[in-house]
Amino acid sequence: MDGLVDNNGRFPLETWFWEMPVCTRWWTTATVLCAGLVQCHLLTPFQLFYSYRAVFQKAQYWRLITTFLYFGPFSMDLLFHVYFQQRYSRLLEESSGRSPAHFSWLLFYATSSLLLLSPFIGMPFLGHPLSSTLVYIWSRRNPDTLMSFLGVLVFRAPYLPWVLIAVSYVLHGVIPKDEILGVVIGHIWYFFNDVYPPLHNGSKPLDPPMWWRRLIEGRPREEGPNNETANGVDNQFAVAGAVPEVPAPDMR
């Protein structure tokens, strides 16, 4: 039994959970909890999807959140999505390195954009495009990280979203609107945070406003060169966190 716990008296799964940054930790927890409640028939998917009419005419405001949490019932597919979601969410949140305000503002931007576009594209569940947004941003910020698909196809990180789109199309036979929407929203964020600032004296239009920082942090923190990691996580960390062979996660 002693071999199953670490030096802090925690089990490996418990250690993994508490080592996750706060936003990623509770997003992952809520996703698993939501699937569990549906599995136990305490909730149904019809109570969770986003509908403009249900939210704003029937005051079912919880749908603004649950649409990002439900990926389907317990299955290998769900486990894959949870792993994929928490991996890239964690990498991005840890790479921000400054405060929860910056990553939570990214989530607010992405979720708000998806909610605004959802009625026009007929997409009631928005967890997949949100995950795709984070994958795209991470991939663009780590251009030199090598990935592998099934140990056969080796490519650099910026091609990851396009490989996922191709795989989804091959498996399901339809163009994955959710993946493409995530790429579009992710590219807007990446452009205004990583491409636009050097061309406009460091201006970052999508940085969190002061009121958001006060709301999340209590008081704004000083930002200096040591906190600035806009180009993404250190490649060694990303490689170590991917999969054993060619530093890459298993993909769909």
Side-chain angles (χ1 to χ4, degrees):
M1 189 71 176
D2 292 339
L4 296 177
V5 298
D6 61 15
N7 295 331
N8 297 320
R10 292 177 174 174
F11 291 99
L13 184 61
E14 185 181 3
T15 301
W16 168 80
F17 175 80
W18 288 109
E19 284 180 349
M20 280 191 285
V22 60
C23 294
T24 300
R25 182 193 312 152
W26 296 117
W27 184 21
T28 303
T29 301
T31 298
V32 175
L33 180 62
C34 196
L37 292 174
V38 172
Q39 191 74 24
C40 295
H41 304 290
L42 298 175
L43 291 175
T44 70
F46 297 103
Q47 296 172 294
L48 306 176
F49 70 86
Y50 173 69
S51 162
Y52 180 88
R53 181 181 177 186
V55 171
F56 296 104
Q57 294 184 14
K58 298 183 178 180
Q60 298 177 1
Y61 298 115
W62 67 84
R63 294 178 184 269
L64 294 171
I65 298 175
T66 57
T67 184
F68 298 103
L69 304 179
Y70 185 66
F71 288 83
F74 277 119
S75 63
M76 289 302 297
D77 188 55
L78 174 66
L79 292 177
F80 168 79
H81 283 301
V82 169
Y83 171 81
F84 211 70
Q85 165 191 307
Q86 69 83 27
R87 163 143 307 280
Y88 291 101
S89 175
R90 176 175 181 168
L91 289 174
L92 273 183
E93 187 170 1
E94 290 179 338
S95 74
S96 67
R98 294 170 284 180
S99 73
H102 288 79
F103 185 72
S104 60
W105 182 252
L106 164 58
L107 291 180
F108 179 76
Y109 153 80
T111 54
S112 299
S113 300
L114 289 168
L115 289 170
L116 287 173
L117 294 173
S118 176
F120 301 103
I121 56 179
M123 195 176 294
F125 290 105
L126 301 173
H128 289 125
L130 179 57
S131 294
S132 297
T133 299
L134 301 183
V135 169
Y136 180 85
I137 296 171
W138 177 87
S139 69
R140 292 303 301 267
R141 288 180 171 179
N142 295 271
D144 297 323
T145 301
L146 291 177
M147 317 291 287
S148 72
F149 177 62
L150 299 178
V152 177
L153 177 64
V154 179
F155 54 91
R156 295 194 181 275
Y159 293 101
L160 175 59
W162 310 108
V163 171
L164 293 177
I165 289 173
V167 170
S168 179
Y169 178 75
V170 170
L171 292 178
H172 302 104
V174 295
I175 297 175
K177 294 188 298 182
D178 52 354
E179 303 273 3
I180 294 173
L181 183 59
V183 166
V184 171
I185 292 175
H187 184 73
I188 294 172
W189 177 272
Y190 168 75
F191 177 81
F192 282 108
N193 278 273
D194 296 72
V195 179
Y196 182 89
L199 303 176
H200 295 81
N201 300 318
S203 172
K204 292 186 176 182
L206 292 184
D207 254 11
M210 193 60 66
W211 64 266
W212 182 269
R213 299 186 193 189
R214 291 196 184 99
L215 177 66
I216 302 299
E217 300 173 358
R219 63 184 180 86
R221 298 183 182 183
E222 293 290 332
E223 290 185 15
N226 294 331
N227 291 334
E228 195 66 44
T229 53
N231 289 329
V233 295
D234 179 72
N235 279 345
Q236 292 181 353
F237 175 74
V239 166
V243 285
E245 248 174 88
V246 186
D250 290 332
M251 296 186 301
R252 319 182 239 191

